[in-house]
Amino acid sequence: MTRKKTLQQRWEFDLRSSPEALWPYVADTNRFNSDTGLPAVAVADDEAGDEATTGAPRNARRRLRVKVSVLEMLYEEEPFEWVRPHGFGVVRRYAGGPIAEMRVRVELRPREGGGTHLVYDTEFTPRASVVRLALPLQLKLMRRKFERAFRRYDRLAAERATAPQTAATPNAAAPLSERTQLTPTGRERLRQIGRALVAEGKNAELVRRLSELVERGDDLALARVRPYALADLWTADRREVLELCLAATRAGLLDFRWELLCPLCRGSADSPASLGDITAGQHCATCGIDFEVNFDRSVELTFRPNPAVRKVEGAAFCVAGPATTPHVVVQQLLRPGESRTVRPRLEEGRYRLRALGLSGAQQVRVAGAGAGGVVSLGPTEAARWPSDERLIGVEPALRIENKDAVERLFILERTSWSDQAATAAEVTALQVFRDLFAEEALRPGEQISVGSLTLLFTDLRGSTQLYRQIGDAVAFGAVMTHFDVLRESIAAEGGAIIKTLGDAVMGAFTRPAPALRAAMRAQAMLAAPPAGVRPLALKVGIHTGPCIAVTLNGRLDYFGSNVNIAARLEPLSSGSDCIISRPVRDDPKIAALLSGQASGLVAEPLRTTLKGFDAEHFDLWRVTRKEISPPETETPTKRGI
């Protein structure tokens, strides 16, 4: 069969920014297609396709549909291939319409003396000769749009390179439109909500910026607002921006969603609007795997405008470009027996090479110059991955070979996760979230791993005697005041009160150091109150470790052996110290806090057993202020968790 003649087009542009600086913009094919006026795409109804019916691996091939004028076309898209930051490409095969096949290849070549020579190659296979005659005129019009987009990305990359904070994603940094995008009543609602947020004590400048973003930001940026990326862009405190977004949601300016992220591709497998809609077991259609949800990594909170203020279209213009998986530095589709040598530019750290549909991976560490020459990576003939970690340099020559009998998509990715995600573990341990969204809880019976949390348990020393000495009414007022002090201290350090148990409190933090600072501050405030107020002694125990999130009494709660350990530490406290466990003591920031002269803290080791863990001895530390000598430890009272 004679292969149809193709029509090729090459465009070349000289840009000022380096390939590394341009890559996040040029490789964001979803935004590029939108910026250049290309039509939106949608997943075809039969996208599951061959894999579901035959079991043959599709290797991230997708069936998509696009509408151009009145013509709707279906096509299959091969997985994008790329080597960061040097280039990427894709092949699309159309089931009908004027084009049979389209190939795109983009290269970013460093220029001598600085900058980038960008090459944009396209190859079309028309179905009829009339298409061959019409395409050149259409491509001439498209070239102007493409050049405008690339020149703008060049300016944005240059501005980002000189900005004080460059961690924000390019999508967050999208330029604002001159036109308002609000609903007919949106402007007045925006003003009212903005004034109310400032009246509540929110930072007026951050409220102004958020209002401006909602009014004039583009749909792509607003479809998935990540508060930490926004904070980095604004060079603002991350928790302050997150708390502003939460308050704006309660006020009706924003809505939030919980995105359930696949542990491999890190794409969104689902986007429920409530914690109650989350189930622990999830499936990623792209990777073809089932996975367990974990609050610490795979559940991220994102925001978008409330439709009453502004309607944001959720259109997609490209569903699988390199920017959808920014942790992936190399992606290559290899036929059986095929090998390929690539030369990515890497940051130091740990990576892994895996193949879609093949279990296991090869561990890689990037450090300095690494090994010289060409480094071979990949599984053996038996589809087994090497067990040792391979050391490579920051600019390696990597030879990847597919020794399997079937086609495989090879992926080289960073193993570390982005710190720009506001994870469910962090958000649900935030006092503002628990105050504003008390109804947010898992469905009854659902249990989800939280990852590692720091748990704080407190109780008032001698509270029973206090009621007898000063009377129930006065003592109750003192206890309520103590709750206020604890709440203020815990919230100030980014933690949350999970529940109260009589005079006791259970608090949660994402890290140990804020928990210790909050505890010591609360102890100091209660021990030295204003004149005329009775001093109180606060017993404290702090432990950190993995636990499980559940719903108890209609509220989000935590349980597990680490919760039990944390509860057993508080009775060992005298009321002028904090008892901390080894995992807390071994935290680097706790170690720095205890070794620093400015903190005024000292830690005395003790080794003991804990109730319910009688067969195990625990290494603990009693943390006190240097100027305070702790009294004799009160005999622990029996109290359930």
Side-chain angles (χ1 to χ4, degrees), residues 378-408:
T380 64
E381 286 83 353
R384 294 179 180 175
W385 296 92
S387 58
D388 59 315
E389 183 180 66
R390 194 66 188 266
L391 178 65
I392 63 175
V394 294
E395 295 190 62
L398 303 178
R399 182 175 180 268
I400 303 172
E401 183 175 1
N402 180 18
K403 297 181 180 180
D404 209 337
V406 297
E407 173 192 75
R408 291 291 181 192

Side-chain angles (χ1 to χ4, degrees), residues 299-503:
V299 184
E300 178 182 358
L301 187 69
T302 62
F303 298 83
R304 64 166 50 194
N306 185 302
V309 177
R310 174 175 171 180
K311 294 180 180 179
V312 172
E313 298 295 334
F317 297 87
C318 184
V319 297
T324 60
T325 53
H327 65 293
V328 175
V329 294
V330 173
Q331 180 163 292
Q332 298 290 305
L333 183 66
L334 301 183
R335 297 185 300 273
E338 184 182 5
S339 66
R340 199 170 293 167
T341 300
V342 296
R343 292 175 170 80
R345 190 163 298 168
L346 308 174
E347 298 175 356
E348 293 193 351
R350 282 186 159 79
Y351 295 71
R352 68 183 173 196
L353 177 71
R354 61 182 176 89
L356 200 62
L358 187 64
S359 62
Q362 183 171 6
Q363 304 303 315
V364 177
R365 182 164 64 91
V366 176
V374 178
V375 178
S376 294
L377 299 177
T380 64
E381 286 83 353
R384 294 179 180 175
W385 296 92
S387 58
D388 59 315
E389 183 180 66
R390 194 66 188 266
L391 178 65
I392 63 175
V394 294
E395 295 190 62
L398 303 178
R399 182 175 180 268
I400 303 172
E401 183 175 1
N402 180 18
K403 297 181 180 180
D404 209 337
V406 297
E407 173 192 75
R408 291 291 181 192
L409 182 66
F410 284 85
I411 297 163
L412 180 65
E413 61 192 357
R414 288 189 295 270
T415 57
S416 62
W417 283 62
S418 167
D419 69 345
Q420 286 194 327
T423 66
E426 293 176 303
V427 175
T428 57
L430 200 62
Q431 190 66 53
V432 167
F433 176 79
R434 287 182 170 263
D435 289 344
L436 295 177
F437 303 98
E439 72 283 359
E440 275 289 306
L442 297 170
R443 68 179 63 183
E446 194 71 50
Q447 301 179 10
I448 294 182
S449 172
V450 179
S452 186
L453 276 185
T454 297
L455 301 162
L456 172 148
F457 278 83
T458 74
D459 198 7
L460 284 176
R461 183 184 181 204
S463 58
T464 302
Q465 292 84 349
L466 181 68
Y467 278 88
R468 290 180 178 177
Q469 291 171 2
I470 64 177
D472 289 350
V474 178
F476 181 76
V479 170
M480 291 299 103
T481 300
H482 127 271
F483 282 143
D484 291 339
V485 170
L486 269 172
R487 176 190 172 84
E488 178 188 343
S489 298
I490 289 172
E493 290 291 346
I497 292 179
I498 306 305
K499 58 186 174 183
T500 59
L501 308 157
D503 302 333

Side-chain angles (χ1 to χ4, degrees), residues 119 312 386 487 544 638:
V119 179
V312 172
R487 176 190 172 84
T544 191
K638 186 175 181 180

Side-chain angles (χ1 to χ4, degrees), residues 52-126:
T53 56
T54 68
R58 288 182 50 77
N59 283 311
R61 285 178 171 81
R62 296 174 183 271
R63 287 198 176 100
L64 304 169
R65 52 187 172 84
V66 61
K67 190 172 184 179
V68 181
S69 185
V70 296
L71 177 65
E72 183 172 85
M73 295 184 292
L74 296 175
Y75 64 93
E76 181 178 78
E77 181 177 274
E78 287 197 353
F80 274 77
E81 295 183 280
W82 66 85
V83 179
R84 180 188 179 106
H86 302 305
F88 62 88
V90 68
V91 178
R92 297 181 177 123
R93 296 184 177 91
Y94 294 83
I99 302 295
E101 182 179 282
M102 180 179 72
R103 294 174 179 266
V104 175
R105 179 68 194 171
V106 181
E107 294 183 42
L108 290 84
R109 303 171 182 172
R111 295 171 60 201
E112 188 175 347
T116 299
H117 184 69
L118 188 149
V119 179
Y120 196 100
D121 274 322
T122 53
E123 181 180 307
F124 296 91
T125 305

Side-chain angles (χ1 to χ4, degrees), residues 182 190 210-216 222 253-254 305 309-310:
L182 303 177
L190 185 65
L210 181 61
S211 299
E212 184 180 53
L213 178 66
V214 170
E215 181 177 3
R216 299 197 289 115
L222 287 172
L253 178 60
L254 302 177
V309 177
R310 174 175 171 180

